[in-house]
Amino acid sequence: MRLVLANEKLVVSGRTYEGFPLLLDDKSDAIQPAQRFLWELLLSPGKRNSKDTWAAYGRSLYDYFAFLSANNLDWTANPALGSAGPLVKYRDWSRGELELSPRTVNQRMRIVVRFYVWALETRLIETLPFDKSTIRLNPDPGFASHLNSGDVLTQTPDVLLREPGLSIPFITKEQAKDCLQNISNYTHQLIFQLMLRTGLRQVECRTFPEKYVFDPTRRKDLSIGQKIRISLNPRDMRIKFNKPRDIDIPYDLMEDLFWYASRHRQKRENNVSDDSKFATLFLTETGRPYGKTAFTDIFSRLTSRVNYKVRPHMLRHTYATYLLWSLRKSKDFKGEPLLYVRDRLGHSSVKTTAKYLHLINNLEGHLILQHEDELDKLFSSED
């Protein structure tokens, strides 16, 4: 078995499906009905799944069916009373042999569960290989309580693992300063700053175009200390769900990005081995855009230097946490802080943004109060 992400040559009804997951057996035939499930679920009318979502579904199903194949298990088999079925065996193998976290196991399991629900709906199986348990959700009261309507009953598959209470991983101002001191590469410093101070995802930062950068000192409508509104367009860069949005770049960071683009980036661009030109702002030392796993590697090396975990997405969480905190405290801000942060992050639903409220409400006051001016002070000339 193998998983292949289609190239631009996969065209169906005049549409290109580059990046779509293909599950193939040793004869390069599609593994059914898993492949049919992917087509029907991910490409159904109205769906706006990203290539990353496609890949996640493909990897999870490939992992499950590869496990079944290696252990001669039938995905349709119903477990005998008191014995473990293929789904439970896969779960226990993922947790025990692979030592994956409960959260990671459940993320994969939920996709496989959806496959089984689809198989039941399409009459490929007669019963589901799991039961459902009813649980009661208790939304947090307080700020944005208008989003909640009291206790909510929901059902969850009983094959999922119990997850310990998870907090959103973010870094403090002191850790941010420590990280910057441990990043010697100037390009990597700016990458770190851009994600930390605007909430960009790593794929958005990797593909952030040079043409968005300019010299703010030449704009009479801008002043030092101002936030500069930049409109992100999926035609220019990779954005989740191809959804345009606006971000606010601090004036001093725009100055640094412009200096990088006109000086440092130009030197890197001259190192390219051919005549290729690239639109992305950040280039490697060879003059090419950063690859898909490059930022993960950069942050892994940073983690080893500072001796605590730092991941690219933590910078996005950090930005959202301190921005929401500062806007809630501000007497000058006009509007709904939660909606403003939602728009900057590009969340489809305000309920996704509301998870940061839970983090803020559970942080000890002294921890957050150290950062009333949150992250901008870290980069000011006064520090």
Side-chain angles (χ1 to χ4, degrees):
M1 285 186 60
R2 56 197 176 101
L3 169 66
V4 176
L5 299 180
N7 58 25
E8 70 282 356
K9 295 181 180 179
L10 179 60
V11 180
V12 179
S13 300
R15 178 183 171 185
T16 299
Y17 291 96
E18 182 181 2
F20 196 84
L22 303 176
L23 305 181
L24 307 175
D25 60 21
D26 294 337
K27 297 181 180 179
S28 295
D29 294 326
I31 297 174
Q32 300 292 4
Q35 190 67 59
R36 178 184 158 198
F37 164 73
L38 291 174
W39 281 109
E40 293 188 10
L41 176 73
L42 300 180
L43 302 180
S44 58
K47 286 287 185 181
R48 295 180 58 194
N49 294 308
S50 67
K51 291 182 180 180
D52 291 335
T53 300
W54 288 356
Y57 271 79
R59 283 193 296 268
S60 293
L61 281 184
Y62 167 77
D63 194 51
Y64 180 59
F65 277 90
F67 170 81
L68 298 181
S69 177
N71 292 276
N72 296 314
L73 297 174
D74 181 359
W75 73 271
T76 64
N78 286 317
L81 185 63
S83 63
L87 192 55
V88 171
K89 290 180 179 178
Y90 168 71
R91 178 200 68 190
D92 294 344
W93 171 76
S94 299
R95 183 72 180 105
E97 294 295 325
L98 299 185
E99 298 182 348
L100 299 177
S101 69
R103 185 184 184 188
T104 300
V105 174
N106 284 346
Q107 286 174 339
R108 298 182 181 185
M109 289 282 289
R110 288 189 181 97
I111 294 175
V112 179
V113 162
R114 290 195 67 175
F115 164 74
Y116 274 103
V117 172
W118 170 85
L120 179 67
E121 293 172 347
T122 53
R123 299 183 179 181
L124 295 175
I125 55 176
E126 295 182 356
T127 60
L128 293 173
F130 54 84
D131 294 322
K132 291 185 177 181
S133 303
T134 300
I135 61 174
R136 184 182 299 274
L137 302 178
N138 298 294
D140 289 333
F143 182 69
S145 59
H146 60 280
L147 299 175
N148 302 321
S149 56
D151 291 355
V152 178
L153 296 179
T154 188
Q155 289 191 319
T156 183
D158 63 0
V159 291
L160 298 181
L161 296 171
R162 181 180 297 276
E163 297 183 35
L166 295 172
S167 61
I168 300 172
F170 75 110
I171 61 175
T172 67
K173 179 181 176 181
E174 292 304 316
Q175 287 175 326
K177 183 183 297 185
D178 184 34
C179 287
L180 283 171
Q181 291 174 346
N182 280 277
I183 301 175
S184 58
N185 186 300
Y186 183 60
T187 302
H188 297 175
Q189 288 179 1
L190 288 180
I191 287 170
F192 185 93
Q193 282 202 49
L194 185 58
M195 288 194 290
L196 181 64
R197 303 179 73 185
T198 65
L200 286 180
R201 300 176 177 92
Q202 62 170 311
V203 65
E204 295 167 345
C205 188
R206 280 196 298 106
T207 59
F208 190 83
E210 181 191 13
K211 70 178 185 179
Y212 285 2
V213 174
F214 60 87
D215 183 358
T217 64
R218 300 177 68 87
R219 289 269 299 271
K220 294 182 179 181
D221 59 321
L222 299 176
S223 58
I224 295 174
Q226 184 176 340
K227 302 283 188 179
I228 301 173
R229 180 63 53 89
I230 298 294
S231 297
L232 307 183
N233 193 312
R235 292 194 296 267
D236 301 328
M237 57 185 290
R238 289 277 305 279
I239 306 176
K240 191 172 184 179
F241 301 126
N242 291 323
K243 181 182 176 181
R245 77 173 190 275
D246 294 337
I247 63 171
D248 292 332
I249 297 181
Y251 186 100
D252 65 295
L253 178 56
M254 181 62 81
E255 283 187 299
D256 290 341
L257 293 176
F258 175 74
W259 188 92
Y260 168 84
S262 58
R263 303 287 184 86
H264 201 79
R265 183 187 184 277
Q266 183 63 48
K267 294 179 181 178
R268 292 195 163 201
E269 190 175 50
N270 293 337
N271 292 335
V272 72
S273 58
D274 50 35
D275 295 329
S276 298
K277 297 292 182 181
F278 303 99
T280 57
L281 173 63
F282 297 116
L283 299 177
T284 66
E285 293 181 359
T286 61
R288 298 183 178 277
Y290 284 88
K292 187 175 182 179
T293 63
F295 281 19
T296 300
D297 295 337
I298 291 171
F299 279 78
S300 293
R301 294 192 294 270
L302 175 61
T303 293
S304 65
R305 290 195 291 270
V306 297
N307 293 319
Y308 48 82
K309 183 176 291 186
V310 187
R311 297 289 183 265
H313 213 68
M314 292 173 68
L315 304 188
R316 180 173 164 87
H317 292 324
T318 302
Y319 166 81
T321 301
Y322 290 131
L323 177 60
L324 185 56
W325 173 265
S326 63
L327 292 180
R328 289 178 65 188
K329 288 175 60 64
S330 174
K331 296 179 180 180
D332 300 323
F333 180 75
K334 306 299 181 183
E336 169 59 74
L338 199 62
L339 298 182
Y340 178 85
V341 176
R342 177 202 64 182
D343 293 342
R344 300 293 79 73
L345 294 177
H347 287 158
S348 299
S349 169
V350 72
K351 291 184 178 181
T352 303
T353 318
K355 66 185 179 182
Y356 295 105
L357 293 173
H358 179 75
L359 174 62
I360 290 174
N361 292 333
N362 283 279
L363 283 173
E364 294 184 6
H366 73 275
L367 177 61
I368 206 75
L369 287 174
Q370 296 174 30
H371 314 287
E372 284 191 10
D373 295 324
E374 35 108 18
L375 298 169
D376 283 338
K377 259 193 175 182
L378 176 63
F379 305 96
S380 70
S381 57
E382 298 176 0
D383 270 12

